[in-house]
Amino acid sequence: MTLQLYFRPMACSMATRIFFYEADVDATYTKVEKGMLRTEDGADYLAVNPMGQVPAVRLETGQVITENAIVLQYLADRFPESRLAPAYGTDQRWEMMRWLNFITTELHAGVFHPILTPSSPEGAKAFSYQMAPLRMARLEFHMKGRDWLLDDYSVADMYLYVILTWTQATNIKLSDYPALQAFVTRMRERPAVRRAFNEELPLYRAELEPAAA
Ligand SMILES: N[C@@H](CCC(=O)N[C@@H](CS)C(=O)NCC(=O)O)C(=O)O
């Protein structure tokens, strides 16, 4: 048995796919259908993650890990030879947890989720647009002159990259944040990132096309 990632194309679960490719970890990939109720093979997804969200990773024991910031840390710690997270208890690890928390709350849940969720009310979207500049500027300030969020490449970069790819579907212009734009370009130079992106983009586009008659 291998690890199993439940994903949606181009969603935050792509960070886990990037991890698997970076760390050369054998895994299986199960797409969750739009609506988040069923997997591509018809199974009840709410039985996997009652929140109906991705990512979820099923371990060999059957245990399911959810919440992106935790999934990524679990995997980085489980495969320490990948060196994709600083050792637990070090200053850099606290720094990584700080950024993962920032990404998941301030950016993902606070800004991008309300803007990109079709059913979210206009007022929620407007409030998120209001919150975006401070958060994007905070990141831009941090990334000026740096390659990665931490001293070394880590799982936090994977999560940040995926979130920043979503700017294309919003009115937040990445070109207003040159250090973040350069970060996205740097990430795309990595074979594991390109591979994950190139595999998920067609799946995402296929769902936008009307079903063939
Ligand atoms: N708190 C969760 C949020 C995950 C999340 O929002 N995932 C999105 C995709 S990026 C999702 O599954 N959306 C479907 C939904 O919420 O109905 C985490 O950090 O993993």
Side-chain angles (χ1 to χ4, degrees), residues 11-12 36 52-55 67-69 104 108 113 159 166:
C12 55
M36 311 304 290
Q53 294 175 326
V54 291
E67 298 298 325
N68 214 0
T104 204
H108 187 176
H113 186 71
Y159 193 3
W166 298 343

Side-chain angles (χ1 to χ4, degrees), residues 16-188:
T16 303
R17 184 187 292 271
I18 293 172
F19 174 88
F20 284 144
Y21 293 168
E22 290 281 10
D24 204 15
V25 170
D26 200 20
T28 59
Y29 299 85
T30 303
K31 186 160 77 80
V32 180
E33 298 296 357
K34 264 188 194 165
M36 311 304 290
L37 296 177
R38 300 261 153 218
T39 63
E40 58 188 324
D41 38 23
D44 175 10
Y45 185 58
L46 295 185
V48 178
N49 181 2
M51 286 297 291
Q53 294 175 326
V54 291
V57 172
R58 187 185 293 282
L59 310 183
E60 294 88 337
T61 56
Q63 185 187 348
V64 174
I65 311 245
T66 60
E67 298 298 325
N68 214 0
I70 304 308
V71 168
L72 291 169
Q73 291 187 80
Y74 168 84
L75 292 171
D77 286 351
R78 173 147 168 202
F79 299 97
E81 63 286 357
S82 67
R83 303 173 67 86
L84 289 167
Y88 203 80
T90 61
D91 287 353
Q92 279 284 290
R93 180 57 173 255
W94 287 109
E95 188 68 359
M96 188 183 84
M97 291 194 284
R98 191 168 74 79
W99 281 115
L100 280 171
N101 207 60
F102 177 89
I103 295 164
T104 204
T105 59
E106 301 295 339
L107 281 188
H108 187 176
V111 173
F112 287 91
H113 186 71
I115 290 174
L116 292 173
T117 301
S119 60
S120 113
E122 283 310 312
K125 291 186 205 292
F127 184 59
S128 288
Y129 273 119
Q130 204 179 307
M131 297 214 295
L134 173 62
R135 285 150 184 80
M136 293 294 282
R138 171 72 189 93
L139 265 176
E140 172 72 10
F141 179 78
H142 176 72
M143 289 305 289
K144 261 189 197 138
R146 314 180 59 94
D147 284 350
W148 314 116
L149 279 165
L150 309 179
D151 293 346
D152 295 314
Y153 180 55
S154 75
V155 289
D157 296 303
M158 299 171 198
Y159 193 3
L160 178 60
Y161 163 75
V162 174
I163 299 267
L164 292 179
T165 63
W166 298 343
T167 53
Q168 287 178 54
T170 71
N171 296 330
I172 299 169
K173 290 207 295 290
L174 201 53
S175 54
D176 288 343
Y177 306 98
L180 298 184
Q181 200 164 34
F183 166 76
V184 168
T185 305
R186 199 171 301 119
M187 286 294 287
R188 289 209 171 121

